[in-house]
Amino acid sequence: MKVVNSRADFVSLRCGLLGRVGLVPTMGALHAGHAALLRTARQTCDSVVTTIFVNPTQFGPNEDLGRYPRTLEADLAACEDAGVDMVWAPGVDDVYPSGPDLQVHIDPGPLGSQLEGASRPGHFAGVLTVVAKLFQIVRPQLAFFGQKDYQQFCLIQRMVDDLDFGVLLVPVPTVREPDGLALSSRNRYLAPDERIAARALSQALFAGRDAAGGGDGAVLAAARAVLAGHPAVSVDYLELRGDALGPAPTQGAARLLVAARVGATRLIDNVEVIL
Ligand code: AMP
């Protein structure tokens, strides 16, 4: 496995990669969710590139950029285990040579200011712009993203379609702890009592999914009832949408999404619901 930091070193090594190149973009602090992306990429691609970059432009001024976990040694071991060919761990200057305050960026459109975007103004412009830059520099044929960040996946798919990026996006199902909590690099912020309370998110989603036979009202009522029993969980949104995040259909595939604060930690999760 090759590990490089500078953009120049990455670009020169990239030239030597053969066949179908798969990209797994990450912010590091890798866990079994990331490992599932890497494994899926390894199974489908000739060459696997992963990037480890905590992108400053997707963090709001009061978010956790400064304390976001950085665990490079362990991350490299996880990449090696997964059979990654090349890790690019650039610095901010490698990705933004003229500084992160770009004059031109990707506008995520109306969906970018809903759900996560309503609580995190500018977040998806930051995400889409850095993903566009990574696509340009890495030039992958395929790119792998987790369904844990469902809105992010939908917006990247939209960008690829609307702007003809020609990259095949592969969604990877959410990896969960045995008690249902979706793995996240931010779970390590949770105190022990908060970690227990955090189970309410997935429990609410599963209860909603199980109530789908009763229609959309029953889904939301079942999920709300679970969350209401956990005062330590402060809900930001709980919404049922269509599977591309338009309005929920009366029948067929829909998505139930939740965001909540547990103590100071903001968590998100979602599941498919068949109405
Ligand atoms: P991050 O490092 O948080 O930016 O995540 C990098 C990629 O890993 C994104 O595509 C995420 O959706 C994906 N990911 C994060 N957590 C999980 C999880 N629990 N299961 C599957 N994929 C995940």
Side-chain angles (χ1 to χ4, degrees), residues 3-275:
V3 181
V4 288
N5 299 116
S6 81
R7 180 199 283 238
D9 286 348
F10 175 75
V11 168
S12 80
L13 279 177
R14 165 66 183 90
C15 293
L17 289 182
L18 301 172
R20 280 160 36 117
V21 173
L23 169 64
V24 181
T26 80
M27 297 205 298
L30 302 187
H31 50 63
H34 299 106
L37 270 64
L38 296 174
R39 262 199 320 275
T40 310
R42 182 70 283 165
Q43 284 158 7
T44 28
C45 300
D46 300 302
S47 302
V48 177
V49 174
T50 189
T51 52
I52 297 178
F53 179 59
V54 181
N55 174 39
T57 70
Q58 69 191 68
F59 287 78
N62 300 317
E63 294 184 0
D64 56 345
L65 174 62
R67 67 180 190 122
Y68 196 82
R70 286 162 168 88
T71 60
L72 187 62
E73 285 309 306
D75 294 347
L76 295 179
C79 291
E80 183 96 59
D81 273 2
V84 169
D85 297 294
M86 196 177 290
V87 177
W88 184 32
V92 173
D93 292 351
D94 294 297
V95 177
Y96 300 103
S98 328
D101 240 345
L102 301 180
Q103 298 291 306
V104 176
H105 59 261
I106 304 279
D107 178 350
L111 179 56
S113 48
Q114 299 168 27
L115 299 164
E116 280 303 283
S119 304
R120 307 184 68 187
H123 171 67
F124 286 118
V127 169
L128 294 189
T129 302
V130 79
V131 170
K133 284 167 77 63
L134 294 176
F135 284 176
Q136 303 287 12
I137 300 167
V138 178
R139 291 182 291 105
Q141 279 77 39
L142 294 90
F144 298 78
F145 293 92
Q147 289 188 316
K148 154 82 168 38
D149 298 285
Y150 191 76
Q151 186 178 9
Q152 169 176 285
F153 185 87
C154 292
L155 282 165
I156 296 170
Q157 183 68 68
R158 203 58 213 237
M159 174 179 81
V160 164
D161 293 345
D162 287 356
L163 301 181
D164 301 302
F165 272 81
V167 177
L168 180 69
L169 299 188
V170 180
V172 177
T174 302
V175 178
R176 298 178 178 283
E177 298 282 7
D179 68 358
L181 178 68
L183 295 189
S184 163
S185 305
R186 292 187 167 98
N187 290 351
R188 68 188 70 200
Y189 300 153
L190 297 168
D193 57 326
E194 294 171 344
R195 170 65 187 80
I196 293 169
R199 289 193 298 218
L201 275 80
S202 56
Q203 284 170 350
L205 296 179
F206 299 158
R209 183 177 62 191
D210 294 347
D216 54 355
V219 169
L220 287 167
R224 271 194 209 110
V226 172
L227 292 166
H230 293 84
V233 176
S234 164
V235 178
D236 184 358
Y237 60 78
L238 171 74
E239 288 199 33
L240 186 65
R241 295 274 184 120
D243 69 354
L245 295 182
T250 47
Q251 268 200 326
R255 209 86 200 177
L256 182 60
L257 305 102
V258 69
R261 229 166 248 291
V262 185
T265 305
R266 192 163 178 286
L267 300 175
I268 60 171
D269 198 356
N270 69 88
V271 292
E272 183 179 55
V273 172
I274 308 295
L275 291 167

